[in-house]
Amino acid sequence: MQFKHVTLDFDGSVAILKLDHQEVMNAVSVDMLGGLSDALDTIEEKKDEVRCVVLTGAGRAFCTGANLQGRNNQSKKTKAGMTLETGFHPFLRRIRNLHCPIVTAVNGPAAGAGMSFALLGDMILCARSSYFLQAFRRIGLVPDCGSTWLLPRLIGKARSVELSLMGERLPAEKALEWGLVNRVHDDGVLMDEAMKLARDLASGPTVALSLIRKLYWDSPENSFEDQLNLEFQCQLRAGDTDDFREGVGAFLEKRPAKFNGK
């Protein structure tokens, strides 16, 4: 399925969401944000069928940040950052609240907003040639799209500030060493590995996996007591699913579980 600068395909219960504006290395425009919104609408309409999402880029880039083409030629100047609340933030919030796991397959540069998009994955896989870049300081702006929230929690304040102040590339191998990403693969097998992982997640207990996502997203803002209470609430929900009953039955019968996502 083709949307504005976005492609959406389905492989069984895995949705493959691809940023697809190769002429600008998948830089994000208002049109692309609209395409992403439409694609997520389609995924949500198929909520009972889609049990994992893979987010990647078309061509040789994952996403090189905001599309700045034509900005100097605008007859009426718009304030930088105005599209954050109207375009970027709704997408980021929808990804955070997705009903199933998301795998990001970082197939090339992930810069600026593209770096934030990549880091939203529950599992982050990178091509060996890919890299991350906090590009904002290069054009006189500050980090956005949640990067100042995500980065310190993933790699600590010192490294986060350095990446943002210096604007230097962070190669995939170094990102793995720092604990920013989960796995690095040779370029030619990245998507095969991403799909293998996505299919494994898609065959799992989807409700429980979605609740695991919620627990880890909410954890940084919770006190210990708050998190204990949230775990309790989520466990009650997970324990009321068909998949829990199937999992226990399979364990006792010493056979592989067949989860249906419900």
Side-chain angles (χ1 to χ4, degrees):
M1 303 176 71
Q2 190 68 48
F3 301 97
K4 194 68 174 178
H5 302 319
V6 172
T7 302
L8 178 63
D9 294 305
F10 297 94
D11 183 322
S13 53
V14 178
I16 305 157
L17 183 59
K18 187 175 292 186
L19 310 177
D20 193 359
H21 194 184
Q22 297 182 52
E23 296 85 352
V24 292
M25 298 183 71
N26 303 327
V28 186
S29 61
V30 172
D31 284 343
M32 179 183 281
L33 290 167
L36 286 167
S37 178
D38 291 341
L40 287 177
D41 286 344
T42 301
I43 289 171
E44 288 174 3
E45 288 168 6
K46 297 177 176 287
K47 185 176 180 179
D48 291 339
E49 303 168 38
V50 175
R51 296 169 64 185
C52 188
V53 173
V54 175
L55 176 63
T56 191
R60 58 194 181 94
F62 177 78
C63 174
T64 54
N67 189 344
L68 301 178
Q69 286 195 356
R71 187 165 182 87
N72 286 340
N73 299 323
Q74 292 176 344
S75 57
K76 183 178 180 180
K77 299 296 182 183
T78 57
K79 290 184 178 180
M82 289 300 292
T83 58
L84 286 175
E85 193 59 27
T86 58
F88 286 91
H89 291 176
F91 171 70
L92 297 170
R93 292 180 180 116
R94 291 183 74 177
I95 289 293
R96 171 175 177 165
N97 294 316
L98 202 64
H99 71 281
C100 62
I102 178 168
V103 175
T104 46
V106 185
N107 57 303
M115 184 171 178
S116 293
F117 285 13
L119 298 181
L120 288 172
D122 301 301
M123 294 291 291
I124 306 167
L125 278 58
C126 295
R128 207 167 298 280
S129 67
S130 66
Y131 63 86
F132 297 92
L133 178 65
Q134 283 287 287
F136 304 95
R137 60 97 69 197
R138 296 188 174 195
I139 57 171
L141 290 178
V142 302
D144 59 26
C145 288
S147 58
T148 59
W149 189 92
L150 290 163
L151 282 171
R153 287 163 172 80
L154 292 171
I155 57 174
K157 178 186 173 184
R159 285 171 170 166
S160 302
V161 172
E162 180 178 354
L163 285 176
S164 300
L165 289 181
M166 303 308 295
E168 297 172 343
R169 292 184 180 187
L170 178 66
E173 294 281 8
K174 181 62 73 172
L176 180 64
E177 180 185 322
W178 284 6
L180 188 67
V181 304
N182 296 98
R183 302 174 189 178
V184 174
H185 296 287
D186 291 338
D187 291 29
V189 301
L190 174 67
M191 278 306 296
D192 288 341
E193 293 294 334
M195 290 303 298
K196 186 188 303 182
L197 177 59
R199 292 186 190 107
D200 184 37
L201 290 168
S203 67
T206 308
V207 174
L209 297 184
S210 72
L211 293 171
I212 290 171
R213 296 186 79 238
K214 175 178 176 57
L215 283 166
Y216 281 104
W217 269 110
D218 290 358
S219 173
E221 301 305 307
N222 282 344
S223 68
F224 182 63
E225 286 299 323
D226 289 338
Q227 195 67 10
L228 288 178
N229 289 332
L230 184 60
E231 288 176 351
F232 169 65
Q233 294 163 15
C234 289
Q235 201 69 289
L236 288 177
R237 174 73 181 92
D240 195 34
T241 61
D242 292 342
D243 281 342
F244 169 64
R245 289 180 280 276
E246 164 62 13
V248 172
F251 175 79
L252 295 175
E253 296 167 18
K254 296 181 171 55
R255 60 172 175 81
K258 296 181 180 179
F259 297 117
N260 62 18
K262 299 178 183 177

